[in-house]
Amino acid sequence: MSTGPDLIVVGAGAAGLTAATTLAHAGLSVTIIEARDRIGGRIFTLRDPKYGAPVELGAEFIHGLPPETLTLLNQRQVRIREMDGDNWCFIDGKLGTCDFFSEVESILSKMDDRKPDQSFLDFLEECCPSANASPRQQHSREWALGYVSGFNAADPALVGVHWLVQGMRAEEEIEGDRAFRAEHGYADLIDFFQEQLDAAGVSLLQNTIVEEIRWSPGRAEVALLGPEGASVISAPRVLITVPLGVLQAQSGEKGAIRFAPDLPQQKQNAIRNVIMGQAARVVLRFHERFWKDLPSGNKSSKKMDGMSFLFSHDKSFPTWWTTLPEKLPFLVGWAPFRAAEALAGKDKSFVIEQSLNTLHRLLGVSVQELEGLLEHAYFHDWQTDPFSRGAYSYGKVGGDGMSEALARPIDNTLFFAGEATDVSGHNGTVHGAIASGNRAAAEILPATAARKLRAGG
Ligand SMILES: Cc1cc2nc3c(=O)[nH]c(=O)nc-3n(C[C@H](O)[C@H](O)[C@H](O)COP(=O)(O)OP(=O)(O)OC[C@H]3O[C@@H](n4cnc5c(N)ncnc54)[C@H](O)[C@@H]3O)c2cc1C
């Protein structure tokens, strides 16, 4: 008789924590293996010592009103607050509030998933050719491109229109154009999971890397490298929730998992046909909200005191946001896709320098002055982090059905969850990760119950 758990979960991010706690509450013995010294994965909240405010290094926003996240936060009576304020833009060297959204919307609404799939770039060229475009149409094209690569951390030449349409439809259902934050940031969700792990008696091995999974139908041996060296644990089922970037890593690279025998060809194709997007964010804390009286000059013009987002085509950090409705002296810079690639592997001082250079270009404040105002900067490099290898996934052109193929269990033994495996159109989000954990739990529970029944357990 096996003494191992009923289920091994690889990865303690939102997906793994959801499935592990649900299944443990249903009576399964569950062990989670986590490579990091903390749970949460790409949710990583710090607390700023000066203001006691949450500082997010990974996920920050609750996009819309997703029941997956809100149900869990409600159980802890966590308050959520909507982001409000004005959207500002930097266009042709000038700062002003933005009025391009309806035009971008009208471009995006022309995407049609009943037509053969194409990349967003090809779609754009077909729907709104740049030749003969008026300056205003040209601007709308650029903002649409910026939106697709910024929000999805995606290469417009690779991301598929079918995938984008599915995501937009899913977002509409939850009012995804609104953005919320939990009172103490996403730490509230992680605290909830920690309580659930304790209450359900889930065992958690941190600082432990899964290196290999040797499997046959109904049995898996998982080779680990932990603080005490190498070991093996086995279980009839394993749920793999590591990020897509980790599944794509080459054998021998840190964090990569070898499968013996290899995963079936269909699964390998799916792993290759979804893309791990790149994004970097920097959080800057200043002495004061120095932007509140900008732009300088005309005294009667609107000031940036009420700014929520600042959009631009800057090459380093095109998008910025504030902490509104909390008026704190923090600015968050967002560098997606190519901009993130340029920052990958660079040290923090380089990232800070690039971010201040951008603020200088956008706000017209000298770099020297900005350096004097800066108190502290927070940054995490998700691109070179061996346990994420990117920010979040997106669907490639021609990749219909790939999330489903990524999610599909193998021989009732290997199960898959994680944001990239979400099949409801919410890839790349926390609620998508939770939804995938719920889906995997629903697959595993009947399989395990039947086995226990056969064994008389
Ligand atoms: C910069 C950034 C900003 C984001 N902003 C938002 C946002 O505003 N709103 C939003 O909804 N989403 C956002 N996201 C996306 C969101 O964070 C993710 O979709 C979600 O957290 C993924 O959860 P997961 O469980 O699928 O994966 P993860 O959280 O990555 O969990 C997987 C776990 O597996 C572990 N692991 C990896 N390899 C191994 C191994 N070999 N052995 C053992 N363990 C291993 C990892 O350490 C990790 O803990 C953002 C992500 C990033 C990076």
Side-chain angles (χ1 to χ4, degrees), residues 11 13-15 34-36 41-42 58-61 63 210 243 255 418-419 428-430 433:
E34 170 54 53
R36 303 178 196 273
R42 282 170 277 169
E60 172 168 351
F61 297 111
H63 296 295
V210 170
E419 55 84 11
T429 64
V430 171

Side-chain angles (χ1 to χ4, degrees), residues 369-412:
E369 202 177 330
L370 290 167
E371 281 169 350
L373 285 161
L374 183 68
E375 278 186 346
H376 195 73
Y378 298 90
F379 176 71
H380 181 83
D381 187 348
W382 297 100
Q383 275 58 243
T384 56
D385 180 331
F387 306 121
S388 60
R389 295 177 177 273
Y392 43 84
S393 68
Y394 65 92
K396 206 172 176 171
V397 57
D400 286 357
M402 286 302 150
S403 301
E404 286 80 356
L406 263 184
R408 202 162 295 135
I410 301 171
D411 282 339
N412 250 331

Side-chain angles (χ1 to χ4, degrees), residues 271-345:
I271 291 171
R272 271 197 303 274
N273 277 298
V274 182
I275 303 177
M276 194 63 172
Q278 312 278 309
R281 46 175 292 152
V282 65
V283 183
L284 305 179
R285 189 186 79 210
F286 294 97
H287 286 300
E288 58 185 21
R289 298 175 70 244
F290 68 89
W291 59 90
K292 72 178 172 32
D293 298 320
L294 295 175
S296 43
N298 184 355
K299 292 231 167 356
S300 61
S301 68
K302 188 162 188 167
K303 300 295 177 195
M304 298 178 95
D305 186 34
M307 174 180 78
S308 54
F309 283 92
L310 170 58
F311 300 102
S312 76
H313 300 307
D314 189 83
K315 62 183 186 331
S316 291
F317 284 92
T319 305
W320 290 83
W321 60 85
T322 64
T323 54
L324 281 187
E326 297 290 342
K327 288 198 165 182
L328 294 173
F330 292 79
L331 286 176
V332 182
W334 182 252
F337 177 43
R338 291 257 184 273
E341 282 168 16
L343 298 175

Side-chain angles (χ1 to χ4, degrees), residues 9-18 32-44 56-63 66 69 151 180 186 205 207-212 223-225 240-244 246-247 253-257 276-281 321 334 380 382-383 385-393 417-421 426-434 436:
V9 175
V10 186
L17 292 168
T18 300
I32 306 183
I33 315 293
E34 170 54 53
R36 303 178 196 273
D37 61 359
R38 59 175 182 86
I39 62 169
R42 282 170 277 169
I43 295 176
F44 190 4
E56 303 288 7
L57 297 181
E60 172 168 351
F61 297 111
I62 301 167
H63 296 295
T69 307
F151 191 71
F180 299 82
Y186 266 116
L205 302 182
N207 284 314
T208 305
I209 303 171
V210 170
E211 295 197 314
E212 187 176 38
L224 313 174
L225 184 63
I240 296 137
T241 76
V242 298
L244 176 73
V246 173
L247 288 175
E253 287 184 318
K254 191 170 181 189
I257 301 175
M276 194 63 172
Q278 312 278 309
R281 46 175 292 152
W321 60 85
W334 182 252
H380 181 83
W382 297 100
Q383 275 58 243
D385 180 331
F387 306 121
S388 60
R389 295 177 177 273
Y392 43 84
S393 68
E419 55 84 11
T421 74
H426 293 289
N427 308 110
T429 64
V430 171
H431 54 277
I434 297 173
S436 77

Side-chain angles (χ1 to χ4, degrees), residues 221-242:
E221 286 184 348
V222 178
L224 313 174
L225 184 63
E228 263 109 62
S231 61
V232 175
I233 62 166
S234 57
R237 282 168 186 81
V238 180
L239 170 62
I240 296 137
T241 76
V242 298

